[in-house]
Amino acid sequence: MNDSSAKAIATIRARIDGRLPKVAVILGSGLAGFAEALEDRLVIANRDLPGFPHPSVTGHAGDLVFGALGGCQVAVMTGRTHFYETGRADRMKTPLSALRALGCEILILTNAAGSLRPDAGPGCLMLITDHINLSGTNPLIGPGDDTRFVDLIDCYDPELRERALQSAAAQGVELHQGVYMWFSGPSFETPAEIRMAKLLGADVVGMSTVPEAIVARQLGFRVLAVSAITNMAAGLDDQPLDHGQTVAKAAKALDGMTRLLTALLRGLGQTP
Ligand code: HPA
């Protein structure tokens, strides 16, 4: 654990009043509204937490919100930092280490993504089953010990995925499943890159999640990830791409995402 993590943990412990979150959630572009569903909320601004991100992207708030849903204590980051903001893939390591040290065992990642699947258009949700990282970078590059050779088979926990599917079905929320391909951004992909992604087996594309999932697996989190589809990927329809649309269309998926996460967390709260 680095110095920033230790300081952040001390600040959090001094303020959370005995809350012991079991699950951490990171909210993607336009999805911060989920944090409002929490009961008994306590908000700590990321600026008070050394090493926590100060998102520079519209649609990303910058707080760490503690609370409960159906008896499950959670810690929710209402925004993240992306690789494209700094050129560093490991910028989420400090917050993730802090959340793990606080006792979180499960990490739920959400994001906004572009879809390659005509049956899963804007407003839909997609459960990530696996990912493709051909970005050429990895958050674990650099000095480290043998724990950096992380096994990514079942990176997205099969038991949690099953729970997510059951929670979605119980809520009547349609939940597609597919493979997420990470692109560095911040420019959107070209139509040729999307045709390549399709050939390689991708179902959705996005600019986040993968570095966090890799760091989280090294830290021993069980990981689940869900995409909110905000657009068809480049060249798959006649719509131009822009970030305003990402934030606006994520709002369309927010209700389903909130219902899905609420049901999932309630279930997790009932598991010892
Ligand atoms: N590509 C990459 N990231 C995204 C997209 C996309 O089409 N939509 C939302 N985030």
Side-chain angles (χ1 to χ4, degrees):
M1 185 190 309
N2 62 26
D3 241 28
S4 297
S5 241
K7 283 187 190 141
I9 293 164
T11 306
I12 294 168
R13 284 216 173 103
R15 294 187 39 192
I16 56 176
D17 216 7
R19 290 174 172 87
L20 289 176
K22 171 174 168 183
V23 180
V25 181
I26 300 182
L27 299 175
S29 293
L31 298 171
F34 167 71
E36 279 152 36
L38 298 187
E39 299 142 17
D40 189 25
R41 278 155 47 92
L42 174 95
V43 181
I44 303 179
N46 282 2
R47 64 172 176 278
D48 295 341
L49 301 172
F52 273 58
H54 304 236
S56 64
V57 184
T58 319
H60 280 262
D63 294 321
L64 180 60
V65 184
F66 290 84
L69 268 177
C72 184
Q73 290 288 335
V74 291
V76 179
M77 290 185 71
T78 60
R80 55 160 56 88
T81 189
H82 305 78
F83 170 72
Y84 62 73
E85 291 174 78
T86 60
R88 283 183 46 193
D90 67 348
R91 276 291 282 114
M92 291 292 284
K93 205 171 201 163
T94 297
L96 290 175
S97 303
L99 291 167
R100 184 80 181 103
L102 282 170
C104 294
E105 291 166 3
I106 292 172
L107 176 67
I108 301 177
L109 300 167
T110 66
N111 60 50
S115 176
L116 278 68
R117 288 247 304 269
D119 63 318
C124 289
L125 298 179
M126 193 175 291
L127 182 64
I128 299 178
T129 55
D130 202 349
H131 73 234
I132 301 173
N133 173 18
L134 290 186
S135 68
T137 192
N138 187 296
L140 307 184
I141 288 174
D145 57 23
D146 283 357
T147 65
R148 71 187 121 164
F149 301 109
V150 177
D151 181 352
L152 294 180
I153 298 171
D154 290 336
C155 176
Y156 304 92
D157 190 277
E159 197 259 339
L160 291 178
R161 282 193 269 140
E162 190 49 44
R163 278 177 179 271
L165 290 167
Q166 283 170 13
S167 303
Q171 288 298 311
V173 172
E174 192 179 13
L175 184 58
H176 298 271
Q177 302 188 67
V179 173
Y180 178 98
M181 185 161 181
W182 181 41
F183 283 86
S184 75
S187 57
F188 285 100
E189 300 73 33
T190 63
E193 286 164 346
I194 294 302
R195 288 195 296 275
M196 173 197 72
K198 182 91 196 149
L199 280 174
L200 295 180
D203 297 287
V204 280
V205 291
M207 306 177 195
S208 68
T209 299
V210 167
E212 294 154 23
I214 295 172
V215 169
R217 289 300 297 137
Q218 185 191 32
L219 291 170
F221 278 103
R222 295 171 64 201
V223 177
L224 183 82
V226 183
S227 291
I229 306 296
T230 55
N231 56 281
M232 293 309 293
L236 297 185
D237 64 12
D238 55 7
Q239 298 295 311
L241 298 175
D242 69 61
H243 183 66
Q245 164 193 262
T246 301
V247 176
K249 289 287 167 54
K252 217 176 134 190
L254 179 62
D255 177 59
M257 184 73 88
T258 301
R259 280 165 47 216
L260 165 62
L261 295 185
T262 302
L264 179 66
L265 290 167
R266 280 185 200 284
L268 290 170
Q270 279 148 27
T271 315

